[in-house]
Amino acid sequence: MMKIVFVAAVVGQLLLTKMATASDWTPELELPRVRQPMETLRISIPEDVSIDMLQTLALELDNIDVTAMVTREGNYAVFTPVQPLEWGKHELRLVEYAEDGSIFEKGFWVFEVRTQSGIREADFTANLSLVATRSVADKNLGEPEPDSLTGQGGAALQGRIAGEEWEVTGNMDLIYNSQRELTSNNQALDMGEYLITGQHQSTQLKLGHHSIAQTSLAMESFQRRGASASKSFSSMNSAVTGFILRAEEINGFEHGLGISDSENAVYGIVLENQPISNDPELLYVSATYLSGESNTVGASVGALQADQKGETWSFVADSTMLDQQLRFRAEMASSNTDIITSDTADIDLIDAKGDAIAFLTTYTPQSISVDSTFFWNTGIELSEVDTQFNSIANPNLPNDKNLQRLFFNANWSGISTQLSAAKETDNVDSDETRPEIETKHNQLLLNYSLSEMPQPGSFFDIAGLPSLSLQLGNTTQKQIKMASTNTVFITEDLNIENNLYRLGADVNKSTWSWGLAYSESDQKDNIDVTRSSITTGADIHASYQLNQRFIIAPSIITNNTEFSSDNSNFETDIISVIAQLYLTDTLSGQINLNQSSSVSDSLISLQDIETSTLSFQFSWNWIQPKNNKPGFDISINGTYQDTRDKITPANDLVAYQVYLNLTMSLPASLR
């Protein structure tokens, strides 16, 4: 009854006041049916509708009562959205509540929110940031000295436009640095990465930085600038993707699409299919073929080699069965590559052929019940990559490796464990001129954290929430087969063992926390014990919030390495205190104090250095940014460092720098 009175009070004052019966009038929604996100909705009602009738009406938008937001303009009931409506179709309904509780629909309309008749929706957002930095004071900063006034900034741009059956999205990063000599392309304003994606029904086109979703021995984590087109066929559960990508990582405006250099490009095609339509996850198959060329040296292609060209293909079969509990994945790949190295001492490879295979199986049993707190899974991974297998689109894949790995994971009431054992050998082609090295790696990780909030007044509620960790690792590396004589690959015998263990504990409360950790690792050379070493480390840290305005966080880190070669020690110690200050709602700061020392008693590298560092930063949020309105922050930051060399006092150095910054940020959007 209160709802009816409320509706009557609002609607009755807004609409016309002449008498009529409920059955002899019809409301009308003013056209057009295509509207903007904030466009006003106007409903006309005949003049002879009575006040009693108006008291029984309610207006609903997408099943939400908006009667209280209706206003009157002449002979119309007018509703203006409080916030922009979502793109797409919406329902508007005018209903009548009868005295007997019945509900009658007086009007029902479907309208669409879009930019115009051919475009369903359009959005654009930008987040801009620009920092002007002025050097206030400095000493002993070294060469070259920084400019007294510099600027840095960036912008993240995103846009979207869509119709009935098509969509185009895009994003781009812009980077600004007034010190163009520090940029990769010697440009003050340049572009980072960008991606434009167009979709029309089942066809997709991508331009810019992206990776092909399919992962294989031929291609993995290969995100480069280029172009790709894909087409899916839902009736056959299939898809085909063709692509051309730059072989090296690039950015900047000058490279455009990045595919104009045929000597630095990778061309390929990927075919995917799920042939079992009634259970697609039971079998997934894909085939990849790529051909490319690269003349870039260094990390840009992931390998220290130049003038590489060739082709690679791979075939993948992936099956998930038994209600997704059991998975099998198998892959085979082959390559044919020419590699002309930049170092004349290296051996070039011409028409080098190599194969690779990989197999993975995992078993993950489903939980017995919804309330079960125990989870586990296990798996086996096998792979073999020939010595001469190379793929330009998978530059980080190590070749000449045979891997066997077993792993097990479990989680029970806050206790989690990860256990793995792996064996890896090289020289898979049994080349007599090369040695064969066997590496074994075993690891155990245990973690515990309280899985439920403690009861008020309990031990953990008072003492804090604990988190414990244990890490054990063992790695051995042995030469199990010597190379034949008179080759450049002859190596001395190899038998090294590394052991690691680490213990950690942390306790957290709402206003304070503390933790400690201890680790020890030793490297034992079983051939020459003088090359062995032991490293121990300890870490103690804490944080305490005194009040809403002040947080202090001290820590101590120490590491010591003992070398068997000369019974020497190398020790580093770091003591630091961090203070965070929230002076007002708009003024905050941080002060860091750091005292470090490094001492070595080795006669080869005698060292005793102490360094004291003080750094600070204070920031004032002058104007808060809003949509399409810039915000400004003013900050000051600086560093003071005093270095004392007790062995060579001539190396003592005091250096400092202080900067004043003005930061402008602008979030912008258009709909």
Side-chain angles (χ1 to χ4, degrees):
M1 181 60 68
M2 293 182 64
K3 179 176 182 181
I4 295 178
V5 173
F6 176 74
V7 171
V10 177
V11 179
Q13 296 177 9
L14 301 176
L15 305 179
L16 301 177
T17 61
K18 294 190 176 182
M19 301 294 292
T21 61
S23 60
D24 60 1
W25 66 276
T26 302
E28 294 183 1
L29 176 66
E30 194 177 68
L31 296 176
R33 296 298 178 94
V34 176
R35 300 177 179 273
Q36 297 294 309
M38 290 294 293
E39 187 173 346
T40 297
L41 304 176
R42 300 166 60 87
I43 303 174
S44 66
I45 296 180
E47 296 182 0
D48 55 352
V49 175
S50 68
I51 294 179
D52 293 337
M53 179 59 63
L54 298 177
Q55 292 175 346
T56 64
L57 300 180
L59 186 66
E60 297 179 357
L61 176 64
D62 295 332
N63 297 320
I64 298 176
D65 193 334
V66 294
T67 309
M69 291 175 279
V70 176
T71 60
R72 174 183 177 179
E73 290 184 7
N75 297 332
Y76 292 92
V78 178
F79 168 71
T80 301
V82 178
Q83 58 186 10
L85 298 179
E86 296 293 331
W87 299 110
K89 294 183 178 181
H90 296 267
E91 295 179 352
L92 187 68
R93 179 181 284 105
L94 186 65
V95 297
E96 174 189 347
Y97 292 90
E99 293 183 358
D100 61 358
S102 302
I103 300 176
F104 299 95
E105 186 177 276
K106 300 298 295 181
F108 177 77
W109 305 274
V110 176
F111 64 93
E112 189 168 10
V113 175
R114 58 165 62 186
T115 59
Q116 51 184 285
S117 58
I119 300 176
R120 189 181 71 233
E121 53 190 281
D123 297 289
F124 173 77
T125 61
N127 287 288
L128 294 83
S129 177
L130 184 63
V131 181
T133 301
R134 175 74 180 185
S135 177
V136 178
D138 61 74
K139 179 182 180 181
N140 292 332
L141 297 185
E143 298 293 338
E145 292 187 1
D147 297 339
S148 59
L149 180 62
T150 61
Q152 298 86 33
L157 311 178
Q158 292 183 326
R160 179 175 181 266
I161 184 171
E164 293 293 343
E165 297 180 337
W166 60 272
E167 179 184 71
V168 177
T169 61
N171 61 75
M172 176 186 295
D173 297 328
L174 298 178
I175 303 171
Y176 172 74
N177 191 336
S178 62
Q179 297 176 284
R180 62 176 59 198
E181 65 275 8
L182 301 179
T183 65
S184 57
N185 296 324
N186 197 33
Q187 299 290 330
L189 178 64
D190 213 343
M191 178 176 62
E193 295 189 354
Y194 76 94
L195 177 61
I196 300 173
T197 303
Q199 180 103 26
H200 180 262
Q201 296 180 347
S202 59
T203 302
Q204 187 180 76
L205 174 66
K206 291 185 177 182
L207 303 174
H209 295 83
H210 65 288
S211 59
I212 307 303
Q214 195 269 351
T215 297
S216 65
L217 291 168
M219 175 179 291
E220 183 173 355
S221 302
F222 192 68
Q223 179 162 326
R224 300 291 191 271
R225 184 182 294 187
S228 69
S230 60
K231 172 72 174 178
S232 60
F233 305 91
S234 58
S235 61
M236 299 184 294
N237 290 332
S238 301
V240 57
T241 302
F243 61 89
I244 172 173
L245 300 174
R246 186 86 170 194
E248 61 178 334
E249 296 185 35
I250 57 173
N251 55 32
F253 289 109
E254 61 180 304
H255 295 291
L257 290 178
I259 57 179
S260 58
D261 186 358
S262 61
E263 295 183 349
N264 259 308
V266 179
Y267 308 81
I269 185 172
V270 178
L271 303 175
E272 300 173 274
N273 180 243
Q274 292 176 292
I276 305 175
S277 58
N278 60 346
D279 190 0
E281 295 184 350
L282 189 59
L283 180 60
Y284 163 87
V285 294
S286 70
T288 301
Y289 172 82
L290 61 88
S291 176
E293 185 173 352
S294 172
N295 59 14
T296 303
V297 181
S300 61
V301 292
L304 298 176
Q305 55 195 32
D307 293 333
Q308 175 181 350
K309 64 179 180 179
E311 57 184 7
T312 307
W313 66 263
S314 72
F315 179 80
V316 176
D318 199 328
S319 176
T320 303
M321 58 187 68
L322 299 180
D323 195 20
Q324 299 184 348
Q325 297 183 86
L326 185 63
R327 181 192 178 195
F328 293 98
R329 187 183 190 277
E331 179 180 2
M332 59 174 54
S334 183
S335 68
N336 190 342
T337 313
D338 293 340
I339 301 178
I340 309 299
T341 62
S342 56
D343 191 343
T344 57
D346 291 337
I347 299 177
D348 297 333
L349 299 177
I350 305 299
D351 194 27
K353 295 181 174 61
D355 298 322
I357 58 172
F359 175 79
L360 172 69
T361 180
T362 61
Y363 178 64
T364 307
Q366 298 291 334
S367 299
I368 298 176
S369 66
V370 177
D371 299 328
S372 176
T373 59
F374 182 68
F375 163 85
W376 68 275
N377 78 333
T378 186
I380 299 175
E381 179 183 3
L382 305 172
S383 67
E384 182 173 290
V385 183
D386 285 356
T387 305
Q388 296 186 354
F389 180 86
N390 286 281
S391 177
I392 296 179
N394 194 0
N396 296 314
L397 177 69
N399 56 6
D400 193 23
K401 297 294 181 183
N402 184 308
L403 173 66
Q404 303 170 38
R405 178 172 172 263
L406 173 67
F407 58 89
F408 174 83
N409 304 302
N411 193 309
W412 178 52
S413 298
I415 302 175
S416 64
T417 179
Q418 300 177 35
L419 177 64
S420 65
K423 183 177 76 171
E424 184 180 273
T425 57
D426 59 6
N427 194 10
V428 298
D429 295 334
S430 300
D431 186 346
E432 293 294 333
T433 65
R434 295 174 178 268
E436 185 173 341
I437 308 297
E438 179 186 79
T439 303
K440 294 181 179 180
H441 182 68
N442 303 305
Q443 180 172 267
L444 171 65
L445 297 175
L446 283 174
N447 292 279
Y448 169 75
S449 59
L450 199 64
S451 58
E452 298 180 355
M453 293 299 296
Q455 294 294 326
S458 64
F459 173 78
F460 287 125
D461 180 57
I462 299 173
L465 301 179
S467 176
L468 308 175
S469 64
L470 169 66
Q471 178 182 358
L472 300 175
N474 172 264
T475 301
T476 61
Q477 194 171 37
K478 296 180 180 180
Q479 181 173 265
I480 59 177
K481 184 178 179 181
M482 295 286 291
S484 61
T485 58
N486 301 323
T487 73
V488 296
F489 297 107
I490 292 179
T491 60
E492 59 183 357
D493 204 2
L494 179 67
N495 189 346
I496 296 176
E497 181 176 1
N498 291 277
N499 293 289
L500 166 69
Y501 72 84
R502 183 184 184 277
L503 289 169
D506 288 276
V507 178
N508 291 276
K509 284 277 289 183
S510 58
T511 59
W512 56 264
S513 66
W514 65 271
L516 54 87
Y518 177 81
S519 65
E520 182 174 315
S521 64
D522 67 86
Q523 176 175 300
K524 182 186 299 184
D525 192 322
N526 295 316
I527 303 300
D528 184 355
V529 294
T530 63
R531 293 181 296 193
S532 301
S533 64
I534 298 178
T535 300
T536 57
D539 174 6
I540 303 175
H541 53 272
S543 175
Y544 180 62
Q545 181 177 343
L546 277 73
N547 50 51
Q548 294 183 345
R549 302 293 185 185
F550 185 70
I551 299 175
I552 187 170
S555 66
I556 300 175
I557 301 175
T558 179
N559 285 280
N560 180 73
T561 301
E562 181 180 345
F563 299 94
S564 300
S565 57
D566 57 357
N567 292 322
S568 64
N569 288 273
F570 178 68
E571 182 176 352
T572 61
D573 299 294
I574 301 175
I575 301 175
S576 65
V577 178
I578 300 175
Q580 295 180 343
L581 308 172
Y582 302 92
L583 304 177
T584 68
D585 293 340
T586 59
L587 180 61
S588 61
Q590 180 170 301
I591 301 175
N592 299 344
L593 297 174
N594 185 291
Q595 179 75 33
S596 66
S597 65
S598 55
V599 179
S600 173
D601 58 4
S602 173
L603 297 178
I604 301 176
S605 57
L606 195 62
Q607 180 176 314
D608 191 351
I609 299 175
E610 289 186 356
T611 302
S612 301
T613 304
L614 167 66
S615 63
F616 67 90
Q617 177 176 344
F618 288 89
S619 179
W620 174 40
N621 184 207
W622 177 23
I623 300 175
Q624 187 73 18
K626 299 180 180 179
N627 187 39
N628 298 326
K629 293 183 179 180
F632 295 90
D633 292 343
I634 297 176
S635 62
I636 184 172
N637 65 283
T639 302
Y640 174 88
Q641 189 172 81
D642 185 357
T643 302
R644 302 294 178 182
D645 191 329
K646 297 182 180 181
I647 304 299
T648 310
N651 294 333
D652 291 354
L653 181 67
V654 174
Y656 59 80
Q657 55 185 348
V658 180
Y659 294 102
L660 186 64
N661 311 286
L662 175 63
T663 302
M664 185 276 292
S665 57
L666 174 61
S669 65
L670 296 173
R671 283 191 77 176

